[in-house]
Amino acid sequence: MASSSNPEIARVFFPSYPMFQLYKDGRAERLRQIVTVPPSDDPKTGVRSKDAPVPPLSSARIFLPKTSDPTAKLPLLIYIHGGAFCIESPFSPTYHNYLTSLVAKANVIAVSVQYRKAPEHNLPAAYDDAWDAINWIASHIERNGPEPWLNENADFDKVFLAGDSAGANIAHNMIMKSAGDDQIRLKFSGLLLMNPFFMNDEPDELISFIFPSSKGPNDPRLNPACIAIKELAAGLVCKKILVCVAEKDFLRERGVSYYETVKNSGWNGVIEMVEIEGEEHVFYLFKPDCEKA
């Protein structure tokens, strides 16, 4: 691997938390190793997990809680991981352990969505893959889809979308996209945005590189506040929204702005915001055993 002093290196995203670097000849090199763990039956919680392909280009890890009734219909959580659209995976130890814990405590069945990452696959690839996952999940509504756990255990009238950081951005956009598609018959009960990434009116160096076709701060996928409030309100086809921010998170104000924008939009739903004092961005992933997590 070339060093950061190599004159052939044009840019590093980002020096404080290196994810990938660009060479002057146009090559991109990842700086973080991809670590994954296999699906498993967790002996502590009884949560089971398995992987499934999501056509045409993606996949997912599905989590099923321990239950005394194998035919019980459970609320369905669709989870989209963060990582600046560039790193992480449902199959990493961080997200596998987090979803295992979440599924055990909430007693839900969860689908943790994999999506293609920048810089090899620039945005909107992540949005496209997440949308394919939404459609794949919806294909189980008649109880004859390709994944038995979803056919047998998912309550498609109680569907929740959740994500953290970039994944929260994707989750918001999946709700908005669902509003314009009559083929999606999932009934979204809630949207959970944890330490969400949204743009404000300032340019973003990473977004400019990994999403060259976007309009930056004027792109509603990145900055929901830039669209008409009536359009925003009409697109949020869920009943409840919970926005979680952390006091020391560099994205805190973006989450607060989203909350205030939706609250003042005339949206016919309930939105709440929770702020965790003294904590930084996605602290609960790095300190899962702490009381605040």
Side-chain angles (χ1 to χ4, degrees):
M1 180 180 296
S3 69
S4 59
S5 61
N6 189 321
E8 298 304 314
I9 296 175
R11 185 185 303 177
V12 176
F13 289 95
F14 290 96
S16 60
Y17 191 82
M19 296 184 294
F20 64 92
Q21 61 191 14
L22 305 177
Y23 290 88
K24 292 180 180 179
D25 61 6
R27 291 180 296 123
E29 180 184 23
R30 288 193 170 274
L31 300 176
R32 293 190 172 272
Q33 182 181 3
I34 300 175
V35 178
T36 61
V37 294
S40 61
D41 292 354
D42 184 64
K44 182 178 180 180
T45 63
V47 172
R48 303 171 64 194
S49 58
K50 65 160 68 171
D51 294 341
V54 177
L57 298 171
S58 192
S59 57
R61 179 158 291 180
I62 307 170
F63 297 81
L64 183 68
K66 183 178 181 180
T67 175
S68 58
D69 182 0
T71 64
K73 299 299 182 286
L74 304 172
L76 171 62
L77 172 69
I78 303 170
Y79 193 90
I80 306 175
H81 72 81
F85 304 103
C86 299
I87 58 175
E88 275 297 346
S89 162
F91 317 123
S92 74
T94 297
Y95 281 99
H96 176 85
N97 294 337
Y98 176 67
L99 266 294
T100 297
S101 173
L102 181 60
V103 163
K105 293 180 179 180
N107 195 37
V108 298
I109 183 171
V111 178
S112 186
V113 177
Q114 174 75 306
Y115 54 86
R116 288 171 293 167
K117 312 295 189 303
E120 295 87 353
H121 304 282
N122 285 335
L123 291 170
Y127 295 130
D128 294 340
D129 291 348
W131 184 242
D132 287 337
I134 297 291
N135 280 273
W136 178 78
I137 292 167
S139 73
H140 295 79
I141 287 178
E142 302 297 333
R143 308 293 174 183
N144 58 1
E147 174 44 54
W149 284 2
L150 293 178
N151 290 332
E152 297 166 7
N153 298 105
D155 185 344
F156 297 106
D157 290 332
K158 294 180 180 178
V159 182
F160 296 82
L161 257 171
D164 63 272
S165 197
N169 173 288
I170 297 173
H172 161 81
N173 279 285
M174 295 305 99
I175 285 283
M176 296 291 292
K177 192 172 178 65
S178 296
D181 193 317
D182 295 334
Q183 301 302 313
I184 299 295
R185 293 179 291 157
L186 300 174
K187 294 184 179 180
F188 292 104
S189 297
L191 175 65
L192 173 59
L193 306 180
M194 297 183 288
N195 300 173
F197 166 77
F198 293 110
M199 289 190 71
N200 52 21
D201 294 333
E202 301 174 359
D204 184 291
E205 181 184 15
L206 178 64
I207 291 297
S208 295
F209 180 76
I210 67 172
F211 200 177
S213 63
S214 80
K215 298 178 182 179
N218 295 316
D219 190 323
R221 292 168 293 187
L222 300 169
N223 183 10
C226 77
I227 64 175
I229 58 174
K230 289 185 178 180
E231 183 179 347
L232 177 63
L236 291 170
V237 288
C238 57
K239 301 174 183 178
K240 300 178 181 179
I241 298 175
L242 178 62
V243 182
C244 297
V245 299
E247 180 185 15
K248 296 182 179 180
D249 184 2
F250 68 104
L251 293 176
R252 176 191 178 278
E253 298 305 322
R254 315 283 182 92
V256 173
S257 176
Y258 178 91
Y259 164 76
E260 293 176 344
T261 299
V262 174
K263 187 176 181 180
N264 296 322
S265 70
W267 173 60
N268 187 28
V270 177
I271 184 168
E272 296 181 2
M273 184 177 70
V274 174
E275 180 168 2
I276 308 301
E277 296 181 355
E279 297 294 348
E280 298 182 352
H281 190 61
V282 296
F283 72 94
Y284 49 88
L285 294 176
F286 302 111
K287 301 186 294 182
D289 296 327
C290 75
E291 182 179 351
K292 293 179 180 177

